[in-house]
Amino acid sequence: MRVESVRGMRDILPEEAVLWQRLEEGIRALFALYGYKEIRPPLVELAELFARGVGEATDIVHKEMYVFPDKKGQMLALRPEATASVVRAYIEHGLYAKGDLAKLYYIGPMFRYEKPQKGRQRQFHQYGVEALGSLDPALDAEVIDLAWHLMERVGLAREGLYLRLNSIGCREDRPAFREALRSYFSARKAELCGDCQRRLEENPLRILDCKEPQCQGAIAEAPKSLDYLCQKCRAHFEELLSFLQDLGLAYELDPRLVRGIDYYTRTVFELCSRELGAQDALLGGGRYDDLVELLGGPPTPGVGFAGGMERLVLVLSQHLTANPDAPDLDVYVVPIGDEGRRKALEVLARLRRAGVAADLEYVGRSLRKAMSVAARRARHALLLGPDELAQGALTLKDLASGESQTLSLAEFLADPRAFLSPLPSGEKGGGDPFPRKTG
RNA sequence: GGGAGCGUAGCUCAGCCUGGCAGAGCACCGCGCUGUGGACGCGGGGGUCGCGGGUUCAAGUCCCGUCGCUCCUCCCA
């Protein structure tokens, strides 16, 4: 029986991988522009890290996490998200001891056992930033600005995006708000769906983003977290709003936005696309001022976001008019006969060491066919046959102009680039959202 | 977790309703054109019809199950 890929795990084939490479390059460049440095935590952690950090009662941990024992019986987990890992590393390596703000970013695979659908795989990829060590609302604003900036760089128009924003307060405010929700929803318990009746005990905040139609009436009139903020949290949030105004970033206050991870405090936000269907959130994040302490570090505030690569690729590919057939080689070597075939590999090796992208007709097609492949893949065809080799020469054909010339093999190999026509500008994958540096 | 649709050549799909030789276009290979590319013409190779079972003289087609994909719901990135 044929072995196939596991459900929810998919291959990114070369054609699509080009898009991923460009996205990753662009994301790294932009994060660097804001002073973030890459961190690469492992994909496997103790399961306990996520149970404590993300929250035992969250769907992510108790329903969707890949958990397994290693040979010593330790419970391990494939990371379902990266913030907990980044914070663990921050504590473990004493990054706080440097007495500075730590600005870290990551890009990599995450794992959640969910029902796969478009834009949602079981192995998926997230990029994200974490800024640890400051309570300044300007930092919240910077993180949100970075999120917007990234989407614009990727080529998404501002009009197609919207920012949902809320503040859910600090741990001092939370008990009062939670109590208010509990007593409010208890009175209307009969209206709630089964899940929400359970959430009433476990975590009444989660009722707020329930999508069940029957719950909507009760949710609409529910207490709002903004009304339960302490003085400091209110001031923090108001300052954030004014910073966003200064930056010209529009937001929609959404009292129902609470997000599905327990570590959030104060600011929570999502940046969404109007071009996506059910999975419209491109990235989400917020503040987590208690997480470092919760995981055994010194009290340290933090703020960050995470975004899904798959969804970005999805939106981005709708905006691209890529030409996958554009030649990617400088030279395609076409040997003729046995002599040519024997000389070809050596010529290839010399070309590549001179920085010329080159490949060889390995399949043994007819000359006519090989020339046709050459025209598709390269800008030059290099013919090596008995006629050429007899006089220590080669035939170089410019496939755009159709002109060919006979050159001395030794002269050509001494500086092959001098004989090759330069790359035409704007050659590949039109509409590149992340223009490469030239030179 | 719940609901719906779809799995046929490398790719896009027709054929299924109404059971009777497994097809088209693109791609690939050869020839026309013996050492020179995109066009054109002619020819060719390719398929456990997702998988398993059932009904039938006969199943790609009908029935049941199963796996996968897509969409909605849910969850979220």
Side-chain angles (χ1 to χ4, degrees):
Chain A
M1 201 184 112
R2 197 164 80 174
V3 177
E4 288 175 353
S5 65
V6 171
R7 180 162 155 88
M9 314 281 173
R10 65 185 205 97
D11 301 304
I12 296 168
L13 300 176
E15 195 181 327
E16 188 188 342
V18 171
L19 201 54
W20 282 72
Q21 286 167 6
R22 269 198 252 160
L23 261 178
E24 284 165 8
E25 264 176 52
I27 288 169
R28 287 173 198 284
L30 194 66
F31 286 173
L33 206 57
Y34 281 68
Y36 289 84
K37 296 193 187 314
E38 186 179 12
I39 181 168
R40 300 193 185 195
L43 274 56
V44 176
E45 298 272 5
L46 290 177
E48 183 196 352
L49 172 66
F50 302 110
R52 278 167 58 191
V54 176
E56 193 79 67
T58 59
D59 285 355
I60 292 177
V61 168
H62 90 268
K63 293 212 298 231
E64 300 173 353
M65 195 157 72
Y66 282 89
V67 179
F68 56 95
D70 70 4
K71 292 193 177 187
K72 284 189 171 170
Q74 278 194 121
M75 291 314 285
L76 305 181
L78 297 181
R79 61 181 188 188
E81 60 107 53
T83 300
S85 293
V86 171
V87 169
R88 193 223 80 236
Y90 172 85
I91 296 167
E92 189 168 330
H93 302 289
L95 301 183
Y96 51 85
K98 300 194 168 154
D100 193 8
L101 189 64
K103 296 176 90 172
L104 303 167
Y105 81 84
Y106 57 83
I107 302 184
M110 310 290 160
F111 302 86
R112 291 183 201 172
Y113 194 87
E114 294 185 277
K115 195 158 164 177
Q117 59 181 260
K118 200 181 198 102
R120 186 173 82 187
Q121 265 74 44
R122 287 181 178 174
Q123 175 177 328
F124 62 107
H125 300 77
Q126 285 190 332
Y127 55 88
V129 300
E130 314 292 353
L132 293 143
S134 169
L135 264 173
D136 192 339
L139 190 56
D140 302 46
E142 180 197 273
V143 163
I144 292 173
D145 176 56
L146 172 52
W148 269 105
H149 191 165
L150 179 59
M151 295 306 132
E152 286 169 13
R153 282 290 300 275
V154 161
L156 303 184
R158 282 198 170 204
E159 309 79 60
L161 299 168
Y162 60 102
L163 176 70
R164 300 170 64 208
L165 187 64
N166 193 19
S167 174
I168 55 174
C170 59
R171 65 181 142 178
E172 275 79 43
D173 314 336
R174 199 66 60 76
F177 179 49
R178 185 170 295 146
E179 245 351 279
L181 285 174
R182 190 167 282 148
S183 72
Y184 168 82
F185 281 119
S186 295
R188 303 180 66 160
K189 188 170 180 179
E191 293 176 45
L192 299 177
C193 68
D195 279 345
C196 285
Q197 295 194 7
R198 184 169 37 76
R199 288 173 183 139
L200 195 50
E201 296 310 314
E202 287 174 359
N203 188 354
L205 259 71
R206 304 280 307 135
I207 298 176
L208 291 175
D209 69 1
C210 179
K211 307 293 192 302
E212 285 294 323
Q214 67 180 107
C215 299
Q216 300 311 306
I219 290 169
E221 294 159 37
K224 295 176 177 173
S225 59
L226 290 180
D227 296 329
Y228 289 79
L229 298 185
C230 65
Q231 199 51 52
K232 280 183 180 171
C233 287
R234 187 188 315 279
H236 185 275
F237 193 56
E238 275 164 12
E239 229 184 317
L240 169 59
L241 297 185
S242 83
F243 280 131
L244 291 178
Q245 256 156 30
D246 294 346
L247 293 170
L249 300 176
Y251 54 83
E252 297 171 11
L253 289 185
D254 185 349
R256 298 184 42 179
L257 181 64
V258 293
R259 304 194 45 74
I261 295 175
D262 285 353
Y263 53 60
Y264 285 114
T265 55
R266 292 190 169 175
T267 313
V268 291
F269 65 91
E270 285 180 3
L271 193 53
C272 306
S273 165
R274 299 182 208 281
E275 296 178 39
L276 292 170
Q279 277 78 46
D280 71 334
L282 286 165
L283 58 85
R287 198 158 257 295
Y288 43 89
D289 294 333
D290 302 328
L291 182 58
V292 177
E293 195 176 356
L294 184 72
L295 294 177
T300 309
V303 59
F305 69 73
M309 290 286 290
E310 277 77 4
R311 284 175 201 182
L312 213 47
V313 169
L314 218 59
V315 178
L316 188 54
S317 58
Q318 291 165 7
H319 288 252
L320 280 184
T321 50
N323 175 12
D325 288 337
D328 55 355
L329 293 175
D330 299 309
V331 170
Y332 195 72
V333 179
V334 181
I336 300 159
D338 239 22
E339 299 97 326
R341 204 176 59 77
R342 234 170 285 132
K343 189 72 181 169
L345 193 61
E346 183 197 332
V347 172
L348 255 192
R350 300 273 300 264
L351 283 174
R352 289 163 175 165
R353 276 171 179 71
V356 174
D359 211 344
L360 174 61
E361 169 54 40
Y362 279 113
V363 184
R365 281 176 274 240
S366 68
L367 180 61
R368 272 164 28 79
K369 204 63 207 171
M371 288 304 287
S372 148
V373 170
R376 199 165 54 242
R377 292 202 46 202
R379 291 176 298 111
H380 304 270
L382 193 160
L383 280 75
L384 278 177
D387 297 353
E388 286 83 0
L389 291 172
Q391 42 179 312
L394 59 83
T395 301
L396 184 69
K397 179 165 185 172
D398 183 315
L399 292 161
S401 69
E403 284 164 25
S404 40
Q405 51 184 323
T406 303
L407 300 170
S408 147
L409 195 52
E411 271 177 48
F412 176 73
L413 289 178
D415 183 14
R417 308 187 74 140
F419 298 91
L420 302 175
S421 54
L423 270 170
S425 57
E427 79 294 3
K428 242 200 127 168
D432 189 345
F434 294 114
R436 248 179 257 271
K437 278 176 289 202
T438 46

